[in-house]
Every structure is written in C-alpha cells, then in structure tokens.
Amino acid sequence: MTHDTTGTNRQTSPLHPYAERFEVHDTMPEHGVAREQILSELREMSTEEDRKGDSGRVSGSIYSGDHDHYGFLVEAFGFYAHANVLQRDMYPSATKLESEIIAMTASMLHGDDDTGGLVTSGGTESLVTAMLTYREWGRNRKGIKHPQVIMPVTAHPGHDKGMHYFGIEVIKAPVTDQYVVDLDFVRDHIGPDTVALVGSAGTYPHGLIDPIPELGQLAIEHGLGLHVDGCLGGFIIPWAQDLGYPLPPFDLRVPGVTSISADTHKYGYALKGSSVLLLRPKSLRREQYFMIGGWPGGMYSSPGMGGSRSGGLIAATWASMLSLGREGYRRIAADIFRTADEIKAAVRSHPELKLIGDSLFNVAFRSDEVDIFHVNDALTDRGWRMNGLQAPPALHFCVTRPNTQPGLTEAFAHDLAEAVEYAKSPPKPIPTSGAMYGAGGVQPDPERIFAGLANRLDAMHEVGPKDGARPHSHL
Ligand SMILES: Cc1ncc(COP(=O)(O)O)c(C=O)c1O
C-alpha cells in the first residue's frame, strides 16, 4: 500500500500495477518534476512492458517489434509532433506526405485514377468513416431515410460502432461452414433501404477473406456501396501473390468495391494511430466532409472525424512505407507466411484440434474434444498470449514480425502439445481464460460480462481505487 499526493491509500491491482511503485498523481504537482525522473519512470515501465511483445509469444497487437525501425519512426515523428496539419499554409509538407501515403496505399491495392483516400487515426475510425459515408451517400443520392448495412457476423465491431453512432440499422449475415459470409443471406436481405454491404479481407477472428467478387456483383446489381475491411489484412495479404501463395481477388481490382480500409499501424509497421481509407469513386470522400458557415470562429471545414491532427503520425507513417518499400514488406510477409504455415502444421498434428479455414497469417483453431480455453490456460502458463474467440469457441494466433524469430514455432509446437495434454484432464473444470477482445483471452465472469466490461472501462480511466465516499452527480 502507498499514498498518493493527497495522502489517500493506493493499492496495486491488475490495471494499476504501479500504484505502490511510483507516486500516483491525483493532482498536478505544484512544481515540475525533473525530466530525468519522468523519463526514467517511462523507461522502466515501457522496457518491462515491451518484454512480453518482444518475446514473440504474443498473437497480433505488436506488428513490427523492430526497435531500430521504431527509433527511426520516432525521429521522423519528432520533426512534426507539434505541428497541427489542419493549418496547411503553415505545413504544406503535410499535403505531400498525406497524399503520398494515400497514393502508395491505393497503388498497392490497385486503385485507379478515380480512387481517393483519407488518413485516419486507426482501423475503427476508417470503418466508422466508411459507415458515415454510405449513410450520407444513401441520403443524398437515393433519399434513404432509414439506412441499412448488411455485414457478416465476423466483420469487426468498428462497423457496429459507426452504425450505432450514426443511426444505421445493421443486418448481420451468418457465415457458411467455411466461415465466410453467406451470400444467399446477403442477397435475400438487400432491400430498398440498404446502402452498403461489408466484407472483410481478412477477418479478425479467423483471418479469412469473404467472397469479395460475389459481393461486388451484388453491389453492382443493386447499386450499393461495398466496403472491404482490410484493416488487418490490407498491408499483408497483397504480398501473397508475389510470394507464390494463392490469393482470391479482394481489393480495388474487384468491380463493385467502393471502399477499402488498410491499417498502416498494423502490417504497415507504422507507429500506432494511423490507417488509410480508400474510396472509389473519389466523390464518395466528399459525402463525409464536414463544413459549416456562420460560426463566429470563421468558415469551418475538416476532411474527416478529427479536428487538429499531429503531423508527427503522418510523417512517421510515410517514413515507414518509404523506408521498407515493396521489397521490405514482401520480405517480412514471407517470414510471416512461413511462420503461419509452421503454426498450422503444429495445430494439424493434433487430431483434437481443428483449423478454422486456412488463413495465410492468422491461424484460428478450435476443438470438439477438449475445452479450447483449457488449452489456452496451459499456453498462458507457458508465456503465450493467444486471442480467445467465441461462436465457435476458438483461439487465434495472428502472426506478426516478432513471432518470426528463430525457434519460436518449435517452442509453440512443444507447448501446444503439452497444452492439449493438459486440456484432456484439466485439474479444474472451468478454464480461467475465455473470449474477451483486447485482453488476451482473460475473461472475469461470463455471467456478468457487460457490467464487468463497463467497470473495467471506468477503471482504465481512473488513477486507481481509493478510500472514501463517491461523489454524486444529478445525472
Ligand atoms: C479486421 C479488423 N478491422 C478493424 C480493426 C480495428 O482496428 P483498430 O483497432 O485499429 O481500430 C481490427 C483490429 O484488430 C481488425 O482486425
């Protein structure tokens, strides 16, 4: 137990492990803390926390893991960290960098002269922006008042978030026994209020690519938008063809695709906080521009969700793409695909386990014979951090560059074998792990999951539990 600056007791907890190690700043210090102390605390926490990701035993989350690359990106970031790129008269370089990020992404994903784009703060913002675009397009071009979007159950919740924000009705299409969208369902549910369809390349749960050409045909036949969520796969799947892996068409080469998202902060190996949304035709981008006149602050316009934005992330994203080049991306992709192949071989060697589909980079597996979360418990005990999935219960190992280290797949195969044995006769009936996104499979109590999630979100924004009465608001 330690005390914070106001003398209140503070205890460590899983979300607040530093409460007893470093001073808890409940109020701003009267006098500035020495820079060296600040940097030393940050260094200590980040060095310890990086150890997990750098070990190579983590699924997804960390995409590059190359600290020399990060150092270079941070240098590029530093030139513009303070620059507000909304002010283009001051920072015309932002136009060069941003437009080149968009152009390079569009050429990788086979856009044409009528492809436009936006750089957003991440995958979710790209998806939310795409949903807003289709709502506005439907309203402005077709007079649709109650817009509807059809998306597969496997598509990312960022779409749901956008539809929730913007009052769009979502129709969830089931997936086939191959875990890709059920086209018959989509076809049967297109109606007069449908503004867009969604497909993924690849899906977060299983890394699979929905049948994009068929969705494109439906979009053309019914005059609808088609968003392809390539947030996860957009910067890794494109290299498959060059490397001799079979690749179904998924990008802007496919007729009917009207937008695609691809995250630079995932397999683009940029710093966290950037993604690209491409739109075709270019005029779609205008549907979500925001402009307002008559404000005493002046005429206002912004190209996307953000207002002021840091030039640092744009510079770092540009620097990542340029410094790696196509050859660099291809080289890392080759290592990732090879590693995924080796992980798939390890999974296949256990008759108790079943692969879900055959993803190039995101290996999902389930079991009819053992509880897959017991397998996860045993892997967790051995230092692995898999992602837990549901419907069906499964795990995935989303392979990234840190997982390509020598010896890693052999270690995984060894530990997986022990984990399957453990799961055959687990010492306790209920596994500790479950399917909770963003928490490495740790699930507190499935019965009270939503209350638990809300409490956790609250706790993530507070300095930690403290003694004393809670304040009351009138709301
Ligand atoms: C397929 C897919 N789409 C969208 C997202 C959302 O991306 P972000 O977490 O950057 O908002 C993810 C994240 O993993 C994803 O896997």
Side-chain angles (χ1 to χ4, degrees), residues 114-133:
D114 200 15
T115 300
L118 286 170
V119 177
T120 71
S121 64
T124 299
E125 188 185 329
S126 288
L127 301 181
V128 163
T129 305
M131 296 302 100
L132 175 63
T133 302

Side-chain angles (χ1 to χ4, degrees), residues 63 121-125 127 154-159 200-205 229-233 261 263 265-266 272 274-275 437:
Y63 290 82
S121 64
T124 299
E125 188 185 329
L127 301 181
T154 46
H156 193 273
H159 298 93
S200 304
T203 58
Y204 167 82
D229 177 11
C231 286
L232 184 60
S261 45
D263 287 0
H265 73 183
K266 292 193 175 76
K272 278 293 176 217
S274 77
S275 165
Y437 185 87

Side-chain angles (χ1 to χ4, degrees), residues 72-273:
F72 163 67
L73 299 189
V74 168
E75 205 177 330
F77 180 91
F79 291 119
Y80 292 100
H82 54 281
N84 177 4
V85 301
L86 205 57
Q87 324 292 356
R88 289 293 157 106
D89 56 329
M90 288 175 72
Y91 304 110
S93 55
T95 300
K96 169 180 167 58
L97 307 183
E98 197 162 34
S99 64
E100 290 180 8
I101 293 168
I102 293 166
M104 288 190 277
T105 309
S107 81
M108 178 183 73
L109 296 173
H110 301 96
D112 55 26
D113 288 347
D114 200 15
T115 300
L118 286 170
V119 177
T120 71
S121 64
T124 299
E125 188 185 329
S126 288
L127 301 181
V128 163
T129 305
M131 296 302 100
L132 175 63
T133 302
Y134 291 116
R135 184 192 77 172
E136 293 299 288
W137 171 83
R139 181 182 283 169
N140 296 335
R141 305 296 171 95
K142 293 182 150 186
I144 293 175
K145 291 198 173 65
H146 304 288
Q148 210 175 57
V149 167
I150 307 177
M151 75 177 218
V153 286
T154 46
H156 193 273
H159 298 93
D160 298 74
K161 194 187 247 189
M163 292 190 252
H164 172 69
Y165 287 168
F166 305 131
I168 301 170
E169 187 195 346
V170 54
I171 298 183
K172 293 278 176 93
V175 289
T176 65
D177 55 3
Q178 301 301 304
Y179 296 92
V180 293
V181 69
D182 180 338
L183 288 166
D184 292 334
F185 181 97
V186 175
R187 191 179 295 108
D188 291 348
H189 287 78
I190 293 173
D193 288 336
T194 311
V195 290
L197 310 177
V198 170
S200 304
T203 58
Y204 167 82
H206 315 125
L208 300 176
I209 304 178
D210 284 313
I212 305 300
E214 289 78 359
L215 287 173
Q217 271 316 304
L218 285 175
I220 291 170
E221 273 165 38
H222 296 270
L224 307 172
L226 169 57
H227 179 71
V228 176
D229 177 11
C231 286
L232 184 60
F235 270 87
I236 182 91
I237 297 173
W239 314 111
Q241 208 165 3
D242 295 353
L243 294 166
Y245 288 85
L247 178 66
F250 73 98
D251 62 13
L252 289 160
R253 268 179 292 195
V254 177
V257 172
T258 52
S259 57
I260 184 166
S261 45
D263 287 0
T264 32
H265 73 183
K266 292 193 175 76
Y267 290 103
Y269 313 119
L271 297 179
K272 278 293 176 217

Side-chain angles (χ1 to χ4, degrees), residues 9 25 32-33 36 59 95 101 105 110 118 158 200 210 268 288 297 301 306 365 384 395 418 423 446 452:
N9 288 337
H25 299 284
V33 176
E36 190 34 53
S59 157
T95 300
I101 293 168
T105 309
H110 301 96
L118 286 170
S200 304
D210 284 313
Q288 57 79 55
S301 71
F365 53 100
W384 299 91
L395 304 180
E418 288 188 352

Side-chain angles (χ1 to χ4, degrees), residues 55-57 338-339 342-343 346 384 397 401-415:
S55 72
R57 290 176 171 239
R338 174 192 45 78
T339 304
E342 290 169 9
I343 288 167
W384 299 91
F397 190 153
R401 190 180 163 281
N403 312 127
T404 64
Q405 298 169 31
L408 240 291
T409 48
E410 289 83 351
F412 180 76
H414 173 269
D415 290 349

